[in-house]
């Protein structure tokens, strides 16, 4: 029994560590060089704010649904039922709007990142071509070595 608890604890710790590492990496930009791009930083900040806002509104939706479920037996008046459903619908519309805004922002972030990738792939390809065209030993001559 104790061995099972140890295994369970070990597995739980491994999962918690993996989740913590994933969360820590999620906060870091994929391309740190883009953090000098003011528009990119602004878009990431807006996306983070909207994500927190979306989470808050989603929690409100869940709270209203839970309240409705807890009071289902006592809420028999159609006006009260309409009030709950109208409130939930309003919150879900807000979530939809937030998600649309985030979608637009994420599209713009992706465009900036793709432009960065293409620009650097192109410049890296030319740098590699230039490196391949220059002899490895620039002091080498075409004359054969004398004995």
């Amino acid at each position: 029994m104790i061995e099972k608890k140890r295994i369970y604890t070990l597995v739980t710790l491994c999962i918690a560590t993996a989740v913590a590492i994933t969360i820590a990496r999620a906060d870091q930009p994929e391309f740190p060089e883009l953090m000098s791009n003011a528009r990119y930083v602004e878009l990431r900040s807006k996306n983070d704010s909207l994500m927190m806002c979306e989470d808050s509104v989603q929690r409100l939706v869940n709270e209203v649904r839970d309240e409705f479920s807890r009071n289902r037996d006592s809420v028999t008046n159609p006006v009260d039922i309409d009030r709950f459903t109208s409130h939930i619908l309003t919150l879900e519309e807000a979530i939809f709007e937030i998600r649309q805004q985030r979608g637009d922002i994420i599209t713009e972030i992706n465009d900036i990142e793709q432009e960065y990738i293409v620009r650097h792939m192109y410049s890296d390809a030319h740098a590699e071509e230039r490196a391949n065209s220059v002899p490895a030993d620039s002091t080498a001559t075409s004359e054969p070595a004398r004995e």
Side-chain angles (χ1 to χ4, degrees):
M1 183 72 169
I2 293 176
E3 193 63 32
K4 284 185 178 181
K5 284 185 178 181
R6 282 183 151 176
I7 292 172
Y8 177 76
T9 302
L10 182 63
V11 168
T12 304
L13 284 172
C14 288
I15 291 171
T17 302
V19 168
I21 290 170
T22 303
I23 290 170
R25 287 185 180 163
D27 289 342
Q28 298 173 353
E30 192 169 347
F31 306 102
E33 299 86 4
L34 287 175
M35 294 309 286
S36 63
N37 180 329
R39 180 68 180 151
Y40 181 76
V41 171
E42 176 188 5
L43 289 169
R44 284 184 56 94
S45 176
K46 280 183 183 179
N47 185 49
D48 292 345
S49 296
L50 285 171
M51 189 181 341
M52 288 188 291
C53 185
E54 179 183 346
D55 290 344
S56 297
V57 175
Q58 185 62 55
R59 278 192 294 276
L60 284 173
V61 168
N62 293 338
E63 288 173 10
V64 172
R65 284 183 177 152
D66 289 345
E67 183 181 344
F68 182 70
S69 294
R70 281 192 308 272
N71 299 321
R72 180 171 279 159
D73 295 334
S74 62
V75 179
T76 56
N77 183 353
V79 174
D80 291 337
I81 294 172
D82 285 346
R83 184 178 53 83
F84 272 108
T85 55
S86 174
H87 190 57
I88 291 171
L89 183 60
T90 302
L91 292 172
E92 288 180 343
E93 287 173 351
I95 291 172
F96 181 75
E97 290 295 323
I98 293 168
R99 287 180 179 163
Q100 280 186 319
Q101 290 176 15
R102 284 193 62 216
D104 293 342
I105 290 171
I106 290 169
T107 298
E108 195 170 345
I109 289 171
N110 289 341
D111 289 345
I112 292 170
E113 289 176 347
Q114 287 173 0
E115 180 183 319
Y116 173 82
I117 290 169
V118 170
R119 190 171 355 130
H120 283 81
M121 277 182 17
Y122 183 71
S123 64
D124 290 346
H126 283 298
E128 189 175 314
E129 278 180 23
R130 288 190 300 269
N132 290 336
S133 66
V134 176
D137 183 8
S138 60
T139 60
T141 61
S142 58
E143 296 179 23
R146 297 186 189 172
E147 292 182 19

